[in-house]
Amino acid sequence: DQQVKQNSPSLSVQEGRISILNCDYTNSMFDYFLWYKKYPAEGPTFLISISSIKDKNEDGRFTVFLNKSAKHLSLHIVPSQPGDSAVYFCAAKRYSGAGSYQLTFGKGTKLSVIP
Amino acid sequence: DTAVSQTPKYLVTQMGNDKSIKCEQNLGHDTMYWYKQDSKKFLKIMFSYNNKELIINETVPNRFSPKSPDKAHLNLHINSLELGDSAVYFCASSQDWASGATNEQFFGPGTRLTVL
């Protein structure tokens, strides 16, 4: 039961263009969404997040959009740079009881930025 | 100056053996986690510890046991290893798990476990 889905396993974009990575979720109890970036042989690193009460959050070249009615979020990277080439994971946070929170991750999308 | 470190980075062992993976964080965080990334690339939570108490225990076999000697360490012990245990295991930590903050988690570099 995939509660967080990233349907595109890979994406190729020309340097300087916009990269758009998509994520869908099914659980309405998620209250926060995060994007992580992962290079080979390294752990995921936090990139940007958005609360479920917002519809947009921007940080430099990275913007995350949330469409709560569609249960869809997207990460925009503009302009894309070769160093952005990595696997991007979408994650959703929800309260899981006894005062604890849980992150549920998507399968990841491999972004390749072509120079 | 590594924030979350894991040892070993690679671990190759035979079926039936018992092994441990160590994790340390120097961020002063309250909560630590173990994740498993399987061959299908899903990153799934296994355990989390807050102040030495287990607060999440997903449906993992009881052959897996987290051990936390102090707030900065969460080690993963695995008994009677099976072929299906082969995966990359990530340790992570976060601060202020109960406050409803972003709960950003900081990940270690991962331990690739191969069971032969």
Side-chain angles (χ1 to χ4, degrees):
Chain A
D1 179 25
Q2 290 183 54
Q3 297 187 52
V4 178
K5 298 178 186 179
Q6 293 176 259
N7 292 321
S8 298
S10 62
L11 175 68
S12 290
V13 172
Q14 285 290 131
E15 181 178 2
R17 299 286 185 102
I18 185 170
S19 295
I20 300 176
L21 296 99
N22 294 304
C23 178
D24 297 294
Y25 63 95
T26 57
N27 192 333
S28 301
M29 301 303 291
F30 291 136
D31 60 357
Y32 230 96
F33 301 91
L34 305 91
W35 285 94
Y36 280 81
K37 178 179 178 180
K38 184 182 180 304
Y39 292 116
E42 294 183 10
T45 54
F46 172 74
L47 191 59
I48 192 169
S49 64
I50 188 167
S51 164
S52 60
I53 61 172
K54 302 260 177 94
D55 55 17
K56 179 182 174 181
N57 187 26
E58 190 173 350
D59 183 4
R61 297 185 297 114
F62 302 92
T63 303
V64 56
F65 295 92
L66 175 63
N67 182 334
K68 204 171 172 182
S69 59
K71 293 191 175 67
H72 176 83
L73 63 153
S74 60
L75 173 67
H76 292 214
I77 307 173
V78 55
S80 301
Q81 298 173 355
D84 296 329
S85 297
V87 176
Y88 289 78
F89 289 96
C90 172
K93 182 173 81 75
R94 66 175 173 88
Y95 181 68
S96 54
S100 65
Y101 289 84
Q102 178 176 338
L103 285 185
T104 302
F105 284 83
K107 205 171 173 178
T109 296
K110 184 176 182 180
L111 173 66
S112 300
V113 180
I114 304 161
Chain B
D1 200 18
T2 307
V4 183
S5 59
Q6 297 178 228
T7 53
K9 193 168 176 65
Y10 299 96
L11 181 56
V12 181
T13 187
Q14 299 286 333
M15 261 176 36
N17 283 351
D18 303 336
K19 290 293 178 186
S20 295
I21 306 172
K22 295 185 177 180
C23 177
E24 177 181 2
Q25 55 96 3
N26 62 8
L27 299 166
H29 284 167
D30 299 312
T31 307
M32 296 182 72
Y33 310 81
W34 276 105
Y35 287 85
K36 177 181 180 181
Q37 186 179 34
D38 59 23
S39 58
K40 295 181 180 177
K41 304 300 181 187
F42 279 109
L43 201 61
K44 292 184 180 177
I45 183 78
M46 298 178 71
F47 302 104
S48 67
Y49 252 72
N50 174 271
N51 292 327
K52 295 193 177 184
E53 291 186 30
L54 182 67
I55 52 177
I56 300 176
N57 184 353
E58 294 295 312
T59 54
V60 299
N62 57 13
R63 299 181 294 104
F64 291 79
S65 55
K67 297 271 195 292
S68 180
D70 55 59
K71 200 172 88 164
H73 295 85
L74 183 65
N75 303 325
L76 183 65
H77 297 272
I78 316 169
N79 294 325
S80 302
L81 278 155
E82 300 177 357
L83 293 175
D85 297 332
S86 295
V88 182
Y89 292 84
F90 289 97
C91 176
S93 71
S94 69
Q95 187 174 14
D96 204 9
W97 60 278
S99 73
T102 63
N103 203 42
E104 174 192 341
Q105 295 179 11
F106 293 80
F107 284 79
T111 296
R112 183 174 290 277
L113 171 65
T114 303
V115 182
L116 303 175

